[in-house]
Amino acid sequence: MKDELTRPPYARMAAENHTQYYCAMARGSSGEIMRRRGCLWTYDDEDGEGMVLFPQLGGAAADDEVLDELIEWYCERNCRSLIGCWSLDPPAPKDLGVGLLARGFQPGWRPRWMGRKLDDLTDLPSPPDDVQIREARSGKAHAARPHPQCRRFEAVRNGEVIGHSSVFLSTGEYAAAGIYDVHVLPAERNRGVGKAVTAAAMIKGRSMGARFAVLNATGPRMYEQLGLTGDGFGRTWWLNVPRLRADRPSRERIALAEAVGRGDTKLLESRFAESLDALATPMTCGLSLLELAAHEGQPEAAKWLLEHGARPDIISMWDLGLRREAAELLAKQPTAARWRAGELGATPLHIAAERNDVELARLLLSADPDLTFEDPAFGSTPEGWARHFKRRKILGMIRAHARSANLKTA
């Protein structure tokens, strides 16, 4: 308990480090940095990408103005790929994601913040005997423009670079050594190379004066073995700029999406009850309005959408707790078990396998779905997903259903 009470605020340190890091990368590329009422965003002219960094917004009207301004600002630049928005959890305001999704951002992953003290690093591992760790100044785009607070490391075996990492030293109240860009070639993994390049970055961070190391962990187990501990999760959203240019949402579409995402059924009824075409139109981010209601946990808005003709989907109804309604839909319309959803075009049974949701899988199999359907992203059937994610019970259920129907699944 004492350690928990005295543990440094690693999440806050990571947020400040990310902010200073992306600002430094923008300056290093002759990019730009903007600040407006609790919101800071950057543009990296070299990569054609930008970052909105840990906004702290206030009232709804002010939020709308800032979000509209930053999107217009990015559209005026030559953004070629993605704009990211990072936040601690909960965001400020709590419904920040609704405003972002309504304007075209897509939901992103949840960063896992981790950190450790750097006062004693004797527990860090050495690299494998045939691997050398060296400090480098070339490689990735941001490493090509050296920054006095940033260093890059490479793992080399037989003259070939097989892994790398970076460290960035932030300053101020939440100063820390931020670890970035940890990567190891797939064929070289599980040999301690990732630990070695991460350890090198931490050692360098301490030598530069940092007392703490922080990072956003994509594989927490490795970092736990390096002495880092978790400090909660964050939130991210990502804007596909080419998609936005092709389908810029109108003010009316934004207002409709925000009403759904905030569960404002009074506004939906008074303003959008006759907007049947709008209810059927996917959002710029790719979500349907029903999927938005599910993502934001708004069952009343979802019921309103269904009552007004929105196309139902099993996963959204399931996630909102409308499980009786989902079962009734499948009983009336078994083909609903085949409807594809999301960026990967997966069927509900694919998604049940990914989540390891046995109850959902059982319901879907009762509708006798086509088990040969392949997702367009990976070309894999629901059985393939169950194998990949090691969902043994669901895998057995799919195979048993196939045997009973005398089918081949994969």
Side-chain angles (χ1 to χ4, degrees):
M1 179 64 71
K2 182 178 179 181
D3 288 343
E4 293 181 3
L5 293 175
T6 60
R7 186 175 64 189
Y10 293 129
R12 176 58 61 185
M13 289 180 181
E16 181 60 28
N17 194 278
H18 274 61
T19 299
Q20 293 187 31
Y21 173 79
Y22 283 112
C23 285
M25 296 307 106
R27 294 189 189 99
S29 72
S30 300
E32 300 175 76
I33 301 170
M34 288 290 290
R35 290 180 175 85
R36 288 289 187 275
R37 293 196 302 270
C39 192
L40 181 151
W41 62 92
T42 70
Y43 175 63
D44 186 323
D45 191 54
E46 184 173 313
D47 293 334
E49 298 180 348
M51 293 291 171
V52 184
L53 296 158
F54 305 92
Q56 296 286 312
L57 297 176
D63 293 351
D64 288 345
E65 292 175 8
V66 172
L67 295 180
D68 289 341
E69 180 180 353
L70 75 85
I71 287 178
E72 185 64 34
W73 189 87
Y74 278 122
C75 285
E76 292 171 356
R77 272 113 188 116
N78 186 31
C79 299
R80 298 183 293 277
S81 183
L82 297 176
I83 306 300
C85 180
W86 295 77
S87 173
L88 296 175
D89 200 12
K94 289 184 178 180
D95 64 353
L96 171 66
V98 174
L100 293 170
L101 295 173
R103 288 165 173 80
F105 279 79
Q106 298 168 274
W109 77 91
R110 301 202 65 191
R112 178 172 173 79
W113 311 120
M114 300 188 74
R116 68 162 286 170
K117 296 180 180 180
L118 297 179
D119 49 356
D120 181 8
L121 298 180
T122 56
D123 59 334
L124 294 181
S126 300
D129 292 340
D130 60 344
V131 174
Q132 296 79 46
I133 306 298
R134 68 187 185 193
E135 187 171 337
R137 291 294 185 112
S138 62
K140 287 283 186 180
H142 70 257
R145 44 182 190 271
H147 187 281
Q149 294 165 242
C150 189
R151 297 291 187 274
R152 177 178 169 79
F153 294 89
E154 294 175 340
V156 181
R157 185 171 63 82
N158 297 329
E160 178 187 4
V161 176
I162 60 173
H164 52 69
S165 67
S166 297
V167 59
F168 178 84
L169 191 68
S170 55
T171 59
E173 180 181 0
Y174 295 107
I179 311 300
Y180 296 89
D181 197 27
V182 177
H183 178 74
V184 177
L185 294 178
E188 301 289 344
R189 292 173 184 170
N190 300 315
R191 299 182 59 238
V193 178
K195 293 178 187 177
V197 291
T198 304
M202 287 195 290
I203 292 168
K204 187 65 176 183
R206 186 178 69 171
S207 73
M208 295 168 69
R211 296 177 55 224
F212 306 98
V214 293
L215 52 79
N216 156 37
T218 54
R221 181 181 177 185
M222 183 188 84
Y223 297 114
E224 289 169 351
Q225 293 172 350
L226 290 170
L228 288 97
T229 57
D231 191 26
F233 292 83
R235 299 281 298 276
T236 64
W237 301 267
W238 298 88
L239 180 65
N240 184 310
V241 180
R243 175 183 290 181
L244 178 68
R245 290 197 180 104
D247 183 26
R248 185 83 177 264
S250 65
R251 173 54 56 191
E252 190 76 355
R253 286 177 66 192
I254 291 173
L256 170 58
E258 288 183 331
V260 170
R262 292 168 179 156
D264 191 343
T265 53
K266 290 183 178 179
L267 180 58
L268 289 171
E269 186 62 33
S270 65
R271 185 171 172 181
F272 300 106
E274 305 301 324
S275 304
L276 299 183
D277 289 342
L279 298 183
T281 302
M283 299 167 60
T284 301
C285 67
L287 295 177
S288 70
L289 289 170
L290 187 62
E291 287 173 326
L292 173 64
H295 186 272
E296 297 298 325
Q298 299 292 353
E300 295 307 312
K303 291 177 183 177
W304 186 92
L305 290 168
L306 293 170
E307 290 168 359
H308 288 77
R311 183 190 186 192
D313 77 82
I314 298 299
I315 296 300
S316 294
M317 296 168 74
W318 191 261
D319 289 347
L320 285 162
L322 305 177
R323 301 192 172 186
R324 176 178 57 80
E325 293 85 345
E328 291 173 353
L329 172 62
L330 278 175
K332 294 177 182 177
Q333 197 170 356
T335 56
R338 306 176 186 177
W339 292 346
R340 298 180 184 274
E343 290 289 308
L344 299 179
T347 69
L349 190 54
H350 284 90
I351 296 170
E354 179 184 13
R355 297 178 176 182
N356 202 25
D357 191 327
V358 174
E359 186 179 352
L360 175 58
R362 184 175 291 113
L363 173 65
L364 292 166
L365 288 169
S366 72
D368 195 24
D370 186 342
L371 300 179
T372 66
F373 270 29
E374 297 180 347
D375 70 276
F378 304 106
S380 182
T381 64
E383 182 186 4
W385 279 40
R387 280 202 314 272
H388 174 76
F389 290 109
K390 297 180 173 60
R391 311 307 193 197
R392 292 183 177 84
K393 187 164 186 177
I394 292 178
L395 182 60
M397 291 165 61
I398 292 173
R399 288 176 172 172
H401 183 84
R403 284 195 299 271
S404 69
N406 196 27
L407 298 173
K408 290 184 178 181
T409 56

